[in-house]
Amino acid sequence: MTNPLLEDRLLPDFQRIQPEHVEPAIDQLLADGRALVAELGAQADTATWERFVARIELEDDRLSRAWSPVSHLNSVMNSEALRAAYNACLPKLSDYASEVGQNTALYRGYQKVTEQPGLDDAQRKMLANTLRDLHLAGVDLPEDKKARFRAISQRLSQLTNQFAENVLDATNGWHKHFTDAAALAGMPAAAQALARHEAESRGLDGWVLTLDFPSFEPVMKHAQDRNLRREVYEAFSTRASDRGPQAGQWDNTPVMEEILALRHEQAQLLGFANYAELSLAPKMARDTDEVMGFLHDLAARAVPQARAELQELRDFARDSDGLEDLAPWDLMYYGEKLRVARFDISDEALKPYFPLEGVISGMFRVAEKLFDVAIEPAPADNTWHPDVRRYVIRDTDGSPRAECYLDPFARQKKQGGAWMNGAVSRMVMAGRTQLPVAYLVCNFTPPVAGHPSLLTHREVETLFHEFGHGLHHMLTRVDYPPVAGIHGVPWDAVELPSQFLENWCWERESLDLFARHHETGAPIPQDLFQRLLDAKHFQSAMQMVRQLEFSLFDFRLHLEYDPARGARVYDILDQVRDQVAVLKPPAWNRFAHGFSHIFAGGYAAGYFSYKWAEVLSADAFSLFEARGVFDPDTGRAFRELILERGGSADAMDLFTAFRGREPRVDALLRHSGIGTAVQAAGGAADRQQADDAL
């Protein structure tokens, strides 16, 4: 039997990949990798780029192209068999990564290659990163500490995956069934249709609500039944924990404790005081004091305004409904009502202008105008689900430059949220040429009962955000995978292109390319567009302090870990909330148990990166504001200096080359609607959908 994961194909053969292919393929590739490492290690003293680095990169690419579709399928088409195969490979991959990362002969070989004349700047950056990463993998530790480091790495790979599985299982494990339509009063027709469709898919009469975001959000924003909002909020905010309707069933408490303990131990093995210090080693931020100062400064600017915004909401709820005790499950509901009352605008008024198909084509048109490329549909007959689309990006001469998949809709057995992952990395070396391929994944409401998928404006921003990541991966001109696209980009700069592209969701000139009523084809009326702009900064300070809460909690959790005291997860979270939260949730809220960004993603001691990169993105966009949002020269400069260069140069140097100076915080404050009076209070120093709902 041939194994599709071992075939040399640009695009994965999703129709043929089965769980039983996974472990044999990975075993074969790891054996091949070990044989090559042994061969090259013996030749380390005569290593050259061509005979040493290029051969390692080719073998690493084989492994990456096999594991990428497996990891992707585990996220978007989860099943018991695939999960078992995936989990069986995690310790094997971790062991291999540790072996390579701690191989002193390879380290010596890379050092030898750095002495080779004629290397270009991207090659030198890649070698510098590799030597740094080998150090961070423990290459220069004594043997006993190397062994412990390897054991920790293997265990962490298992624990972070277990955390994600618990959240997925807890999300899928709860639903609420109704047979009386009155229970859904206030919810939009599309949300009620989705609930009916969910019931039908389960063989039930009536309506079913779930914790998937397209079901959860309409309840929190529109359901008139306050008890229903509280029930759904509690189910969502206690997922995978010791509290709530599924208490203890998929409890992440011990998982979090062990993850934090092992991260701390691993950091200390490498000579760092804590994991926060270790996390900054490859980032732009120079030290933990700089990060904490940055977050505290933003908090000082935003908290007073956020408190005023909350008081407005309290007053509105009291005056409109006599509500004296505003609770967390009331925030989205009364926030939406106040937005409608103040600006005469709502998500439901805007959604008809954002049919998914139109938004996709318009988003591509924005990218084409900005970056001088062409994007077109491609056959999608070999994907993992019928909803998936495939696209090709071409240069203006018609030559292909990259490809991407888009999986837009929420469904059972698919992780929530939105993300971009690389399927294939660009490579032009050692006689091999391959174009980059990206996965773009969202969880939008699918078409139901003959009605198209209509997006909220925030969902439009989400799609643009992920496509910005995708463009960073796909438009690279760097030939070496470790520094091509998003690879090698500091984590606190990686959000720059994604947040940057969101700005075109707010410009009339770009909205006119795609914002058309799904029935009439009419553009957004000017008065509605103006109301959208007027409402842009509505509760912006409350939103900012929520993100600062996540960032401070994450960073302090890793900065202040003490083995003698344990993780103190909710002690630290309560302290952070005392500092920045304007409305504290109830004691039974278990937000951290579902905080996948830091416990199962790449944001551990790095969630601050969203705000850090937002400074970069706002400042970068301010140049377009000055020159024109589709100014061709500015678009070309951003493509050439940011998107095409990827991780091949220092991130600050690239930003400075584009902007003409280092970044300033002014544009972020202006874009966030943080007023000058609040700025003065801050002193002289300059999304996640599900997370926001908690």
Side-chain angles (χ1 to χ4, degrees):
M1 178 182 70
T2 59
N3 191 322
L5 294 172
L6 293 174
E7 295 172 354
D8 188 6
R9 302 166 50 98
L10 173 63
L11 299 177
D13 192 350
F14 287 107
Q15 295 294 316
R16 291 172 52 216
I17 296 173
Q18 298 297 323
E20 56 265 29
H21 293 133
V22 175
E23 200 166 2
I26 297 305
D27 287 344
Q28 179 63 58
L29 290 167
L30 294 182
D32 293 347
R34 286 187 170 97
L36 180 65
V37 166
E39 176 189 343
L40 295 181
Q43 306 168 16
D45 293 332
T46 58
T48 66
W49 178 273
E50 295 77 12
R51 295 195 303 268
F52 184 86
V53 176
R55 293 186 65 192
I56 291 174
E57 287 307 314
L58 286 173
E59 196 62 38
D60 284 351
D61 183 69
R62 286 183 68 213
L63 179 58
S64 174
R65 285 186 293 113
W67 184 244
S68 170
V70 175
S71 178
H72 177 69
L73 288 170
N74 190 58
S75 297
V76 298
M77 293 291 290
N78 193 270
S79 68
E80 290 186 13
L82 180 58
R83 181 182 290 192
Y86 179 84
N87 287 337
C89 291
L90 286 179
K92 299 180 181 184
L93 289 163
S94 177
D95 281 347
Y96 178 72
S98 294
E99 289 172 23
V100 172
Q102 296 181 347
N103 189 303
T104 54
L106 290 185
Y107 187 68
R108 193 168 67 252
Y110 278 109
Q111 289 178 312
K112 183 69 176 178
V113 176
T114 63
E115 302 169 3
Q116 180 178 330
L119 298 175
D120 61 37
D121 290 342
Q123 290 172 311
R124 293 193 178 282
K125 184 67 165 66
M126 173 183 155
L127 290 169
N129 288 357
T130 300
L131 291 171
R132 176 202 66 201
D133 293 343
L134 289 170
H135 168 69
L136 296 178
V139 69
D140 35 20
L141 292 176
E143 286 304 319
D144 59 333
K145 291 186 176 181
K146 280 185 177 181
R148 179 58 184 159
F149 192 98
R150 287 195 300 270
I152 292 173
S153 296
Q154 182 184 109
R155 181 61 178 156
L156 282 172
S157 73
Q158 296 169 332
L159 288 167
T160 54
N161 184 61
Q162 184 182 343
F163 185 97
E165 288 181 352
N166 286 344
V167 175
L168 178 62
D169 290 342
T171 302
N172 290 332
W174 185 93
H175 72 274
K176 186 170 181 63
H177 178 217
F178 299 92
T179 55
D180 182 0
L184 305 181
M187 290 178 58
Q192 294 194 35
L194 179 63
R196 181 174 285 280
H197 175 76
E198 186 65 37
E200 291 172 352
S201 70
R202 297 168 184 259
L204 299 172
D205 294 330
W207 300 263
V208 164
L209 300 176
T210 72
L211 299 182
D212 291 326
F213 208 75
S215 178
F216 169 82
E217 185 184 40
V219 174
M220 303 311 299
K221 272 192 174 181
H222 301 289
Q224 295 173 4
D225 185 340
R226 192 184 188 208
N227 290 329
L228 174 62
R229 297 200 306 272
R230 186 194 187 283
E231 181 180 359
V232 174
Y233 171 89
E234 181 178 4
F236 191 92
S237 63
T238 58
R239 289 175 304 161
S241 79
D242 59 332
R243 301 297 293 269
Q246 303 174 114
Q249 196 165 354
W250 296 284
D251 188 2
N252 270 330
T253 301
V255 180
M256 294 188 296
E257 287 282 346
E258 191 174 356
I259 285 174
L260 291 167
L262 291 176
R263 284 175 178 167
H264 183 78
E265 183 183 354
Q266 198 167 58
Q268 293 206 317
L269 284 171
L270 294 174
F272 296 97
N274 50 67
Y275 188 82
E277 288 188 4
L278 169 57
S279 83
L280 295 184
K283 292 183 171 70
M284 290 179 71
R286 288 165 290 196
D287 55 45
T288 59
D289 287 344
E290 184 176 24
V291 173
M292 292 297 289
F294 170 72
L295 295 174
H296 285 150
D297 177 62
L298 285 180
R301 298 170 187 266
V303 167
Q305 183 170 321
R307 288 174 177 160
E309 291 172 356
L310 179 66
Q311 188 57 50
E312 289 177 347
L313 194 61
R314 289 186 192 275
D315 294 343
F316 175 79
R318 183 189 62 245
D319 294 343
S320 61
D321 285 347
L323 187 71
E324 297 291 347
D325 57 333
L326 193 74
W329 46 91
D330 301 317
L331 287 179
M332 293 175 70
Y333 179 73
Y334 283 102
E336 181 67 6
K337 289 185 71 173
L338 177 57
R339 192 166 77 115
V340 172
R342 179 172 296 173
F343 302 105
D344 190 23
I345 194 169
S346 68
D347 286 342
E348 295 308 304
L350 286 165
K351 284 172 69 172
Y353 295 93
F354 297 126
L356 176 63
E357 307 306 326
V359 173
I360 292 171
S361 61
M363 178 178 69
F364 290 164
R365 182 71 180 120
V366 167
E368 290 171 342
K369 288 172 66 69
L370 279 172
F371 305 127
D372 203 22
V373 295
I375 306 172
E376 61 189 38
D381 52 358
N382 189 2
T383 62
W384 57 93
H385 191 276
D387 291 337
V388 176
R389 302 97 184 279
R390 178 173 151 241
Y391 302 93
V392 175
I393 298 182
R394 299 185 184 276
D395 284 320
T396 50
D397 64 2
S399 58
R401 185 158 178 175
E403 296 194 20
C404 68
Y405 295 96
L406 173 61
D407 185 350
F409 301 127
R411 58 177 176 267
Q412 290 283 299
K413 305 300 183 181
K414 178 181 178 182
Q415 289 184 6
W419 66 89
M420 188 287 298
N421 269 339
V424 179
S425 296
R426 175 181 165 91
M427 174 185 279
V428 183
M429 61 189 303
R432 183 175 183 85
T433 299
Q434 66 188 26
L435 300 179
V437 182
Y439 302 121
L440 306 175
V441 182
C442 298
N443 272 276
F444 301 140
T445 303
V448 176
H451 297 287
S453 175
L454 303 177
L455 306 188
T456 66
H457 185 260
R458 180 167 179 178
E459 287 175 327
V460 175
E461 288 186 286
T462 295
L463 184 59
F464 271 65
H465 180 104
E466 300 309 332
F467 191 55
H469 281 308
L471 290 172
H472 203 185
H473 177 74
M474 293 185 288
L475 294 188
T476 185
R477 289 293 195 191
V478 180
D479 295 337
Y480 320 118
V483 287
I486 63 171
H487 300 298
V489 177
W491 205 249
D492 42 0
V494 79
E495 295 292 335
L496 164 58
S498 55
Q499 294 174 337
F500 167 81
L501 200 63
E502 291 180 32
N503 289 288
W504 276 264
C505 301
W506 293 94
E507 297 294 326
R508 178 90 238 192
E509 191 174 350
S510 52
L511 283 173
D512 281 346
L513 297 175
F514 64 88
R516 302 277 170 171
H517 196 284
H518 71 101
E519 292 177 335
T520 68
I524 296 179
Q526 181 58 31
D527 66 323
L528 181 58
F529 171 69
Q530 187 58 52
R531 297 200 301 274
L532 174 66
L533 291 184
D534 292 342
K536 181 177 183 179
H537 297 147
F538 177 64
Q539 296 186 343
S540 60
M542 287 176 62
Q543 295 168 20
M544 178 175 281
V545 298
R546 190 71 172 123
Q547 291 297 304
L548 292 173
E549 177 185 320
F550 300 160
S551 301
L552 283 164
F553 166 62
D554 162 49
F555 206 72
R556 286 189 56 188
L557 199 63
H558 292 91
L559 177 66
E560 300 173 17
Y561 183 84
D562 180 355
R565 302 175 68 189
R568 299 182 296 128
V569 171
Y570 286 96
D571 288 344
I572 291 174
L573 183 54
D574 283 343
Q575 292 171 21
V576 170
R577 284 171 170 165
D578 287 340
Q579 176 189 357
V580 300
V582 292
L583 181 66
K584 293 186 69 173
W588 45 257
N589 177 286
R590 289 294 184 267
F591 156 72
H593 284 71
F595 198 3
S596 296
H597 277 80
I598 70 167
F599 288 111
Y603 287 87
Y607 198 88
F608 77 89
S609 300
Y610 280 106
K611 280 299 169 200
W612 188 280
E614 207 172 332
V615 172
L616 305 178
S617 64
D619 202 15
F621 182 66
S622 68
L623 193 60
F624 285 85
E625 291 179 302
R627 297 178 178 177
V629 295
F630 284 114
D631 179 67
D633 292 336
T634 313
R636 185 180 309 110
F638 191 85
R639 186 196 72 208
E640 292 176 350
L641 293 170
I642 305 296
L643 300 178
E644 292 185 350
R645 297 288 299 278
S648 66
D650 180 80
M652 183 61 79
D653 291 344
L654 292 176
F655 181 90
T656 303
F658 169 72
R659 194 63 182 86
R661 55 165 174 73
E662 291 197 355
R664 298 172 184 165
V665 75
D666 310 59
L668 170 62
L669 296 171
R670 176 168 52 83
H671 288 182
S672 301
I674 306 299
T676 54
V678 177
Q679 291 179 36
D686 256 343
R687 170 156 5 158
Q688 307 59 22
Q689 292 175 323
D691 292 338
D692 289 341
L694 293 175

